[in-house]
Amino acid sequence: MLAVALPDNGSALPNVAESLDRALEGRLGRLAAEEEVAQAIGRTAVLHPNEELGARRVVAVGLGPAAEIDADALRTAAARVSAAADRVGGALAWLLDDSLGLTPAEQARAIVDGLVLGAYDPGRWKQEVKELPFDQLVLIGSDDATEPARRALSVAEATNRARDLANTGANELTPEKLAARAQDIASEREHVTAEALGPEQIEKLGMGAFAGVAQGSHNPPRLIVMRYEPPQSKGDTVLGLVGKAVTFDTGGISIKPALYMEDMKGDMAGGAAVIEGMGAIAQLGLPIRVIAVVAATENMVGGGSYRPGDVLRAMNGKTIEITNTDAEGRLVLADALHYTRQQGATHLVDFATLTGAMEKALGDFYAGVFGNEDSWRDEVVAAGEASGDHAWPWPMHRRYRAYIESAFADMKNSSVRGQAIPAYAASFLEEFVGEGPWAHVDMAGTGFYTWPRNDYMGQKGGTGYGVRLIVELAARLTR
């Protein structure tokens, strides 16, 4: 199958498509005009050549108005091509077009994203599982696209693996099983090590916040620690990646509503992104030292559960009054952040499906990013925008610290006011990050979709958000 993308520029076909149209004796142009292909992103029309080309089928796919074309438009177009190829299989060739306003490398990256992420099937537990509809991709039009496409494929495959983790039920994906995945990556990738600390080690480290959340579950917690030490690394930067991995969140005693509670298996999406992002960094051989720490636990209801009114002591010695057991993510991150800095991370970034308020604010398209240094926060945002993991900067003013004040402890983990909830959570986390740059990515809306979306990431469930951002950020730090 041969694919060509068509922008709506209100006039003739672009040069690449025009050359193809001549080879097809004008049939491509007529089909595109009759079905108004170019006017809508992802609209497709399939042509069956009469021996004019080596391809059995030509699929034209729309990109919408030429002035509005971006990488996401091309990703969604590629996903629709993938769907059109579903019953054909074989090789797929794609004609790159230098008139689209995207470089060949940017086009290659977007096309691979759309094809691989768009073809993802969340139904891994069905008797019949769909596979990629093609077995080879050929990009035609630039030699500069081959390497970016190869790298994009590695990252997209890691993203889909993170989606698999988020979609796995908590009966299968316990903290112990998530730790086993990290150890698998360490065995598969050079210069990566992984260890998993159990309850006794967690308590010995003084991680009272993390241990408090974990104490109500029969499945014991794991502090997953991965290290990537390439033989040659640029500079003294050590990137610290921290992930929230609540493998099932009932809300604890402050129990969640029953509606959509099944989606709480995805409350470990931030941890999944960190684990698979680390694997992708190592696979690409990026010359940067990285430490990844994932706090994995369940938040369950039981006789041993932590309670509202409890006071927990975190690893850095600060005490926390519990006012809501469903504000557990910030507790497990608190100890994980402190530990990661203690282990030598110079630059921290955490990923967490943390506050429902973030989803209300930004929907399922953008994650919110906070930081203790604007320049580092903006670097994380830029990496998200460049990679397709869209992110938006949020403010962190010192006055937000007043929200977390407690009469009984150094701070409390939630407030009945319900004001500035994402900023409240970020201000809480800032108490545990130590000295140096830190950014917090609240990916509540982007990490797990409750409803399908009408684009290349359209399926319900885990999205793998954060994997692409992590790899892009690591790559930028090596330049």
Side-chain angles (χ1 to χ4, degrees):
M1 176 177 281
L2 178 64
V4 58
L6 303 180
D8 181 15
N9 54 21
S11 59
L13 295 171
N15 291 341
V16 169
E18 188 176 20
S19 299
L20 179 61
D21 187 46
R22 286 196 297 270
L24 293 168
E25 300 177 344
R27 288 193 292 142
L28 175 63
R30 290 193 297 272
L31 181 67
E34 289 170 2
E35 301 197 16
E36 298 183 332
V37 172
Q39 281 85 332
I41 298 173
R43 181 176 293 167
T44 59
V46 179
L47 183 68
H48 298 262
N50 297 323
E51 306 298 330
E52 301 102 320
L53 302 171
R56 291 181 295 166
R57 291 170 177 81
V58 174
V59 57
V61 60
L63 292 175
E68 299 175 9
I69 290 173
D70 58 11
D72 276 347
L74 196 53
R75 290 182 179 107
T76 297
R80 299 296 184 267
V81 170
S82 182
D86 194 33
R87 294 182 298 275
V88 179
L92 173 66
W94 193 294
L95 294 176
L96 301 178
D97 187 344
D98 58 10
S99 72
L100 297 182
L102 299 169
T103 67
E106 290 169 332
Q107 291 182 51
R109 186 173 182 173
I111 289 165
V112 171
D113 273 356
L115 293 172
V116 177
L117 302 180
Y120 177 79
D121 180 11
R124 288 288 185 262
W125 296 266
K126 296 181 180 181
Q127 288 183 320
E128 295 185 8
V129 180
K130 293 181 179 179
E131 301 295 337
L132 280 175
F134 51 89
D135 54 25
Q136 184 182 5
L137 173 65
V138 179
L139 298 173
I140 301 173
S142 174
D143 293 336
D144 296 335
T146 302
E147 181 60 17
R150 184 191 68 80
R151 295 171 70 89
L153 177 61
S154 295
V155 179
E157 289 176 339
T159 301
N160 279 348
R161 288 192 292 272
R163 297 168 89 175
D164 283 343
L165 290 173
N167 289 331
T168 301
N171 60 325
E172 293 184 25
L173 191 72
T174 62
E176 186 178 15
K177 293 290 181 64
L178 187 61
R181 173 58 193 154
Q183 288 165 337
D184 286 343
I185 289 173
S187 67
E188 296 164 359
R189 303 280 185 261
E190 291 185 335
H191 315 304
V192 178
T193 61
E195 61 179 328
L197 309 185
E200 292 184 1
Q201 294 162 296
I202 290 167
E203 291 180 10
K204 188 175 181 180
L205 286 168
M207 293 185 169
F210 181 22
V213 175
Q215 69 189 40
S217 175
H218 291 295
N219 289 311
R222 292 289 185 271
L223 186 74
I224 303 165
V225 183
M226 304 175 72
R227 291 179 172 85
Y228 172 59
E229 296 279 352
Q232 294 181 335
S233 58
K234 293 185 178 179
D236 298 325
T237 297
V238 179
L239 177 60
L241 304 173
V242 179
K244 170 192 172 184
V246 177
T247 56
F248 194 80
D249 181 18
T250 67
I253 290 173
S254 308
I255 197 164
K256 292 180 178 291
L259 186 63
Y260 297 120
M261 192 190 280
E262 66 272 18
D263 288 353
M264 288 300 101
K265 65 182 181 180
D267 206 22
M268 38 59 66
V274 166
I275 290 170
E276 297 297 344
M278 177 68 110
I281 287 171
Q283 183 177 7
L284 295 176
L286 298 183
I288 182 172
R289 289 181 292 163
V290 186
I291 177 171
V293 177
V294 174
T297 183
E298 295 178 330
N299 183 24
M300 301 296 284
V301 181
S305 300
Y306 78 128
R307 297 152 291 243
D310 287 359
V311 174
L312 306 179
R313 187 178 297 277
M315 186 182 179
N316 69 349
K318 295 183 180 181
T319 55
I320 306 161
E321 178 196 1
I322 304 304
T323 56
N324 185 341
T325 62
D326 194 26
E328 87 297 332
R330 64 203 68 176
L331 298 173
V332 302
L333 286 173
D335 284 335
L337 283 163
H338 179 75
Y339 179 83
T340 308
R341 184 74 81 186
Q342 189 184 73
Q343 294 297 305
T346 60
H347 293 67
L348 283 177
V349 56
D350 70 73
F351 295 82
T353 50
L354 206 63
T355 67
M358 183 59 73
E359 183 175 10
K360 287 181 173 62
L362 296 180
D364 58 13
F365 193 71
Y366 278 86
V369 184
F370 299 83
N372 61 354
E373 295 183 9
D374 288 353
S375 59
W376 177 238
R377 178 203 63 192
D378 292 345
E379 185 74 22
V380 172
V381 169
E385 289 301 287
S387 68
D389 280 342
H390 294 292
W392 196 261
W394 280 54
M396 274 200 69
H397 196 280
R398 63 184 179 277
R399 290 178 181 172
Y400 285 123
R401 177 63 175 79
Y403 282 117
I404 68 174
E405 292 292 342
S406 166
F408 306 103
D410 293 323
M411 68 198 80
K412 59 187 177 183
N413 76 326
S414 69
S415 170
V416 295
R417 288 187 184 186
Q419 294 179 331
I421 294 171
Y424 182 110
S427 293
F428 181 95
L429 293 177
E430 190 177 16
E431 296 290 315
F432 304 92
V433 302
E435 297 296 325
W438 156 76
H440 160 57
V441 181
D442 190 337
M443 47 182 275
T446 55
F448 194 98
Y449 294 163
T450 302
W451 304 282
R453 240 173 48 175
N454 188 29
D455 64 6
Y456 73 103
M457 291 293 292
Q459 298 90 343
K460 172 182 168 59
T463 66
Y465 181 95
V467 173
R468 291 180 293 172
L469 189 160
I470 285 168
V471 177
E472 177 69 21
L473 181 63
R476 285 171 175 241
L477 291 173
T478 65
R479 294 172 188 166

